[in-house]
mmCIF file of all heavy atoms in Angstrom:
data_model
loop_
_atom_site.group_PDB
_atom_site.id
_atom_site.type_symbol
_atom_site.label_atom_id
_atom_site.label_comp_id
_atom_site.label_asym_id
_atom_site.label_seq_id
_atom_site.Cartn_x
_atom_site.Cartn_y
_atom_site.Cartn_z
ATOM 1 N N ARG A 452 -17.867 -4.558 1.634
ATOM 2 C CA ARG A 452 -18.142 -5.546 0.587
ATOM 3 C C ARG A 452 -17.202 -5.272 -0.586
ATOM 4 O O ARG A 452 -16.865 -4.114 -0.854
ATOM 5 C CB ARG A 452 -19.604 -5.409 0.138
ATOM 6 C CG ARG A 452 -20.112 -6.551 -0.731
ATOM 7 C CD ARG A 452 -21.635 -6.482 -0.825
ATOM 8 N NE ARG A 452 -22.078 -5.218 -1.412
ATOM 9 C CZ ARG A 452 -22.115 -4.965 -2.722
ATOM 10 N NH1 ARG A 452 -21.720 -5.876 -3.592
ATOM 11 N NH2 ARG A 452 -22.550 -3.801 -3.162
ATOM 12 N N ASN A 453 -16.783 -6.337 -1.215
ATOM 13 C CA ASN A 453 -15.926 -6.208 -2.397
ATOM 14 C C ASN A 453 -16.772 -6.434 -3.651
ATOM 15 O O ASN A 453 -17.041 -7.569 -4.030
ATOM 16 C CB ASN A 453 -14.791 -7.239 -2.327
ATOM 17 C CG ASN A 453 -13.902 -7.192 -3.557
ATOM 18 O OD1 ASN A 453 -14.120 -6.378 -4.456
ATOM 19 N ND2 ASN A 453 -12.922 -8.070 -3.612
ATOM 20 N N PRO A 454 -17.226 -5.361 -4.306
ATOM 21 C CA PRO A 454 -18.052 -5.527 -5.498
ATOM 22 C C PRO A 454 -17.225 -5.762 -6.756
ATOM 23 O O PRO A 454 -17.782 -5.926 -7.843
ATOM 24 C CB PRO A 454 -18.796 -4.182 -5.590
ATOM 25 C CG PRO A 454 -17.923 -3.206 -4.884
ATOM 26 C CD PRO A 454 -16.993 -3.951 -3.974
ATOM 27 N N GLY A 455 -15.913 -5.772 -6.620
ATOM 28 C CA GLY A 455 -15.045 -5.874 -7.784
ATOM 29 C C GLY A 455 -14.846 -7.307 -8.260
ATOM 30 O O GLY A 455 -15.480 -8.245 -7.764
ATOM 31 N N THR A 456 -13.946 -7.468 -9.205
ATOM 32 C CA THR A 456 -13.687 -8.797 -9.761
ATOM 33 C C THR A 456 -12.335 -9.351 -9.301
ATOM 34 O O THR A 456 -11.966 -10.463 -9.642
ATOM 35 C CB THR A 456 -13.702 -8.741 -11.304
ATOM 36 O OG1 THR A 456 -12.845 -7.653 -11.706
ATOM 37 C CG2 THR A 456 -15.099 -8.494 -11.845
ATOM 38 N N ASP A 457 -11.590 -8.560 -8.528
ATOM 39 C CA ASP A 457 -10.309 -9.018 -7.970
ATOM 40 C C ASP A 457 -10.407 -9.035 -6.453
ATOM 41 O O ASP A 457 -11.127 -8.230 -5.857
ATOM 42 C CB ASP A 457 -9.168 -8.061 -8.355
ATOM 43 C CG ASP A 457 -8.988 -7.977 -9.855
ATOM 44 O OD1 ASP A 457 -9.066 -9.030 -10.506
ATOM 45 O OD2 ASP A 457 -8.811 -6.843 -10.363
ATOM 46 N N ALA A 458 -9.640 -9.910 -5.825
ATOM 47 C CA ALA A 458 -9.592 -9.908 -4.360
ATOM 48 C C ALA A 458 -8.947 -8.604 -3.896
ATOM 49 O O ALA A 458 -8.118 -8.017 -4.589
ATOM 50 C CB ALA A 458 -8.791 -11.110 -3.871
ATOM 51 N N SER A 459 -9.342 -8.147 -2.730
ATOM 52 C CA SER A 459 -8.706 -6.956 -2.162
ATOM 53 C C SER A 459 -8.480 -7.214 -0.673
ATOM 54 O O SER A 459 -9.091 -8.099 -0.080
ATOM 55 C CB SER A 459 -9.578 -5.718 -2.358
ATOM 56 O OG SER A 459 -10.812 -5.881 -1.705
ATOM 57 N N SER A 460 -7.573 -6.442 -0.091
ATOM 58 C CA SER A 460 -7.421 -6.566 1.354
ATOM 59 C C SER A 460 -7.357 -5.171 1.955
ATOM 60 O O SER A 460 -6.978 -4.198 1.282
ATOM 61 C CB SER A 460 -6.208 -7.414 1.719
ATOM 62 O OG SER A 460 -5.042 -6.704 1.476
ATOM 63 N N PHE A 461 -7.774 -5.072 3.202
ATOM 64 C CA PHE A 461 -7.852 -3.761 3.840
ATOM 65 C C PHE A 461 -7.598 -3.906 5.333
ATOM 66 O O PHE A 461 -7.718 -4.985 5.902
ATOM 67 C CB PHE A 461 -9.224 -3.126 3.585
ATOM 68 C CG PHE A 461 -10.386 -3.889 4.174
ATOM 69 C CD1 PHE A 461 -10.799 -3.672 5.483
ATOM 70 C CD2 PHE A 461 -11.059 -4.839 3.413
ATOM 71 C CE1 PHE A 461 -11.855 -4.392 6.023
ATOM 72 C CE2 PHE A 461 -12.123 -5.563 3.953
ATOM 73 C CZ PHE A 461 -12.522 -5.340 5.264
ATOM 74 N N GLU A 462 -7.236 -2.768 5.936
ATOM 75 C CA GLU A 462 -7.213 -2.648 7.392
ATOM 76 C C GLU A 462 -8.366 -1.742 7.792
ATOM 77 O O GLU A 462 -8.837 -0.921 6.997
ATOM 78 C CB GLU A 462 -5.900 -2.022 7.850
ATOM 79 C CG GLU A 462 -4.668 -2.863 7.574
ATOM 80 C CD GLU A 462 -3.408 -2.107 7.979
ATOM 81 O OE1 GLU A 462 -3.051 -1.124 7.281
ATOM 82 O OE2 GLU A 462 -2.791 -2.478 8.978
ATOM 83 N N GLU A 463 -8.773 -1.853 9.056
ATOM 84 C CA GLU A 463 -9.885 -1.026 9.543
ATOM 85 C C GLU A 463 -9.760 -0.881 11.048
ATOM 86 O O GLU A 463 -9.218 -1.749 11.727
ATOM 87 C CB GLU A 463 -11.232 -1.670 9.189
ATOM 88 C CG GLU A 463 -11.380 -3.055 9.808
ATOM 89 C CD GLU A 463 -12.672 -3.769 9.455
ATOM 90 O OE1 GLU A 463 -13.617 -3.136 8.968
ATOM 91 O OE2 GLU A 463 -12.727 -4.998 9.698
ATOM 92 N N ALA A 464 -10.274 0.256 11.550
ATOM 93 C CA ALA A 464 -10.371 0.440 13.002
ATOM 94 C C ALA A 464 -11.454 1.457 13.312
ATOM 95 O O ALA A 464 -11.609 2.451 12.600
ATOM 96 C CB ALA A 464 -9.041 0.908 13.588
ATOM 97 N N LEU A 465 -12.202 1.186 14.352
ATOM 98 C CA LEU A 465 -13.111 2.167 14.936
ATOM 99 C C LEU A 465 -12.329 2.798 16.080
ATOM 100 O O LEU A 465 -12.192 2.225 17.148
ATOM 101 C CB LEU A 465 -14.409 1.482 15.390
ATOM 102 C CG LEU A 465 -15.159 0.816 14.232
ATOM 103 C CD1 LEU A 465 -16.315 -0.049 14.737
ATOM 104 C CD2 LEU A 465 -15.671 1.868 13.255
ATOM 105 N N HIS A 466 -11.778 3.970 15.779
ATOM 106 C CA HIS A 466 -10.705 4.603 16.570
ATOM 107 C C HIS A 466 -11.338 5.400 17.717
ATOM 108 O O HIS A 466 -11.271 6.636 17.757
ATOM 109 C CB HIS A 466 -9.937 5.518 15.614
ATOM 110 C CG HIS A 466 -8.652 6.081 16.108
ATOM 111 N ND1 HIS A 466 -8.526 6.741 17.309
ATOM 112 C CD2 HIS A 466 -7.425 6.094 15.536
ATOM 113 C CE1 HIS A 466 -7.273 7.144 17.449
ATOM 114 N NE2 HIS A 466 -6.586 6.758 16.384
ATOM 115 N N THR A 467 -11.961 4.675 18.641
ATOM 116 C CA THR A 467 -12.836 5.324 19.620
ATOM 117 C C THR A 467 -12.055 6.062 20.714
ATOM 118 O O THR A 467 -11.228 5.458 21.405
ATOM 119 C CB THR A 467 -13.743 4.250 20.242
ATOM 120 O OG1 THR A 467 -14.269 3.466 19.176
ATOM 121 C CG2 THR A 467 -14.890 4.863 21.003
ATOM 122 N N TYR A 468 -12.325 7.350 20.850
ATOM 123 C CA TYR A 468 -11.728 8.164 21.917
ATOM 124 C C TYR A 468 -12.693 8.181 23.100
ATOM 125 O O TYR A 468 -13.831 8.664 22.975
ATOM 126 C CB TYR A 468 -11.542 9.625 21.469
ATOM 127 C CG TYR A 468 -10.452 9.887 20.456
ATOM 128 C CD1 TYR A 468 -10.610 9.546 19.114
ATOM 129 C CD2 TYR A 468 -9.272 10.527 20.831
ATOM 130 C CE1 TYR A 468 -9.617 9.823 18.189
ATOM 131 C CE2 TYR A 468 -8.271 10.813 19.903
ATOM 132 C CZ TYR A 468 -8.458 10.451 18.583
ATOM 133 O OH TYR A 468 -7.482 10.736 17.658
ATOM 134 N N PHE A 469 -12.256 7.701 24.257
ATOM 135 C CA PHE A 469 -13.105 7.703 25.450
ATOM 136 C C PHE A 469 -12.677 8.806 26.405
ATOM 137 O O PHE A 469 -11.475 9.059 26.587
ATOM 138 C CB PHE A 469 -13.027 6.348 26.160
ATOM 139 C CG PHE A 469 -13.650 5.240 25.360
ATOM 140 C CD1 PHE A 469 -12.872 4.294 24.714
ATOM 141 C CD2 PHE A 469 -15.031 5.163 25.229
ATOM 142 C CE1 PHE A 469 -13.444 3.285 23.959
ATOM 143 C CE2 PHE A 469 -15.620 4.156 24.473
ATOM 144 C CZ PHE A 469 -14.826 3.219 23.838
ATOM 145 N N ALA A 470 -13.686 9.413 27.043
ATOM 146 C CA ALA A 470 -13.425 10.453 28.044
ATOM 147 C C ALA A 470 -13.144 9.787 29.384
ATOM 148 O O ALA A 470 -13.924 8.946 29.847
ATOM 149 C CB ALA A 470 -14.641 11.368 28.161
ATOM 150 N N VAL A 471 -12.019 10.149 29.984
ATOM 151 C CA VAL A 471 -11.693 9.676 31.338
ATOM 152 C C VAL A 471 -11.317 10.905 32.175
ATOM 153 O O VAL A 471 -10.982 11.961 31.631
ATOM 154 C CB VAL A 471 -10.541 8.639 31.329
ATOM 155 C CG1 VAL A 471 -10.952 7.377 30.579
ATOM 156 C CG2 VAL A 471 -9.264 9.227 30.731
ATOM 157 N N ARG A 472 -11.382 10.757 33.500
ATOM 158 C CA ARG A 472 -11.046 11.917 34.323
ATOM 159 C C ARG A 472 -9.542 12.200 34.256
ATOM 160 O O ARG A 472 -9.112 13.332 34.098
ATOM 161 C CB ARG A 472 -11.490 11.683 35.770
ATOM 162 C CG ARG A 472 -11.339 12.892 36.655
ATOM 163 C CD ARG A 472 -12.404 13.966 36.379
ATOM 164 N NE ARG A 472 -13.651 13.675 37.091
ATOM 165 C CZ ARG A 472 -14.847 13.539 36.513
ATOM 166 N NH1 ARG A 472 -14.982 13.658 35.201
ATOM 167 N NH2 ARG A 472 -15.927 13.290 37.215
ATOM 168 N N ASP A 473 -8.731 11.143 34.410
ATOM 169 C CA ASP A 473 -7.275 11.312 34.346
ATOM 170 C C ASP A 473 -6.672 9.969 33.926
ATOM 171 O O ASP A 473 -6.753 8.993 34.680
ATOM 172 C CB ASP A 473 -6.717 11.740 35.709
ATOM 173 C CG ASP A 473 -5.227 12.071 35.627
ATOM 174 O OD1 ASP A 473 -4.539 11.572 34.712
ATOM 175 O OD2 ASP A 473 -4.757 12.819 36.497
ATOM 176 N N VAL A 474 -6.102 9.944 32.735
ATOM 177 C CA VAL A 474 -5.599 8.677 32.184
ATOM 178 C C VAL A 474 -4.570 8.029 33.111
ATOM 179 O O VAL A 474 -4.397 6.803 33.099
ATOM 180 C CB VAL A 474 -5.043 8.908 30.752
ATOM 181 C CG1 VAL A 474 -3.683 9.626 30.788
ATOM 182 C CG2 VAL A 474 -4.971 7.611 29.969
ATOM 183 N N ARG A 475 -3.905 8.833 33.944
ATOM 184 C CA ARG A 475 -2.870 8.293 34.843
ATOM 185 C C ARG A 475 -3.473 7.453 35.967
ATOM 186 O O ARG A 475 -2.737 6.760 36.672
ATOM 187 C CB ARG A 475 -2.037 9.439 35.420
ATOM 188 C CG ARG A 475 -1.175 10.121 34.371
ATOM 189 C CD ARG A 475 -0.678 11.460 34.817
ATOM 190 N NE ARG A 475 -1.762 12.428 34.871
ATOM 191 C CZ ARG A 475 -1.602 13.741 34.885
ATOM 192 N NH1 ARG A 475 -0.386 14.253 34.827
ATOM 193 N NH2 ARG A 475 -2.646 14.556 34.943
ATOM 194 N N ALA A 476 -4.811 7.553 36.136
ATOM 195 C CA ALA A 476 -5.452 6.818 37.237
ATOM 196 C C ALA A 476 -6.292 5.632 36.754
ATOM 197 O O ALA A 476 -6.821 4.880 37.564
ATOM 198 C CB ALA A 476 -6.336 7.769 38.041
ATOM 199 N N ILE A 477 -6.415 5.468 35.430
ATOM 200 C CA ILE A 477 -7.298 4.400 34.937
ATOM 201 C C ILE A 477 -6.531 3.090 34.779
ATOM 202 O O ILE A 477 -5.296 3.060 34.777
ATOM 203 C CB ILE A 477 -7.952 4.770 33.580
ATOM 204 C CG1 ILE A 477 -6.910 4.789 32.451
ATOM 205 C CG2 ILE A 477 -8.697 6.094 33.670
ATOM 206 C CD1 ILE A 477 -7.536 4.857 31.044
ATOM 207 N N GLU A 478 -7.293 2.006 34.654
ATOM 208 C CA GLU A 478 -6.730 0.714 34.259
ATOM 209 C C GLU A 478 -7.609 0.160 33.143
ATOM 210 O O GLU A 478 -8.811 0.412 33.122
ATOM 211 C CB GLU A 478 -6.775 -0.283 35.426
ATOM 212 C CG GLU A 478 -5.815 0.054 36.539
ATOM 213 C CD GLU A 478 -5.839 -0.978 37.654
ATOM 214 O OE1 GLU A 478 -6.753 -1.843 37.671
ATOM 215 O OE2 GLU A 478 -4.942 -0.909 38.502
ATOM 216 N N ILE A 479 -6.988 -0.593 32.239
ATOM 217 C CA ILE A 479 -7.761 -1.296 31.217
ATOM 218 C C ILE A 479 -7.509 -2.783 31.386
ATOM 219 O O ILE A 479 -6.356 -3.241 31.361
ATOM 220 C CB ILE A 479 -7.369 -0.839 29.796
ATOM 221 C CG1 ILE A 479 -7.674 0.650 29.625
ATOM 222 C CG2 ILE A 479 -8.111 -1.665 28.747
ATOM 223 C CD1 ILE A 479 -7.286 1.232 28.286
ATOM 224 N N SER A 480 -8.587 -3.526 31.580
ATOM 225 C CA SER A 480 -8.468 -4.978 31.699
ATOM 226 C C SER A 480 -9.022 -5.641 30.447
ATOM 227 O O SER A 480 -9.747 -5.013 29.668
ATOM 228 C CB SER A 480 -9.215 -5.472 32.943
ATOM 229 O OG SER A 480 -10.578 -5.127 32.838
ATOM 230 N N GLY A 481 -8.674 -6.897 30.279
ATOM 231 C CA GLY A 481 -9.176 -7.670 29.133
ATOM 232 C C GLY A 481 -8.067 -8.120 28.203
ATOM 233 O O GLY A 481 -8.305 -8.940 27.317
ATOM 234 N N LEU A 482 -6.864 -7.584 28.379
ATOM 235 C CA LEU A 482 -5.790 -7.911 27.434
ATOM 236 C C LEU A 482 -4.610 -8.620 28.124
ATOM 237 O O LEU A 482 -3.524 -8.718 27.547
ATOM 238 C CB LEU A 482 -5.319 -6.637 26.725
ATOM 239 C CG LEU A 482 -6.397 -6.038 25.805
ATOM 240 C CD1 LEU A 482 -6.037 -4.619 25.390
ATOM 241 C CD2 LEU A 482 -6.604 -6.920 24.575
#
Side-chain angles (χ1 to χ4, degrees):
R452 192 166 60 82
N453 178 1
T456 50
D457 299 319
S459 61
S460 73
F461 63 87
E462 295 176 289
E463 60 182 345
L465 299 171
H466 191 308
T467 313
Y468 288 75
F469 292 106
V471 296
R472 187 74 83 237
D473 186 336
V474 75
R475 291 163 290 198
I477 69 168
E478 290 182 349
I479 298 178
S480 60
L482 293 166

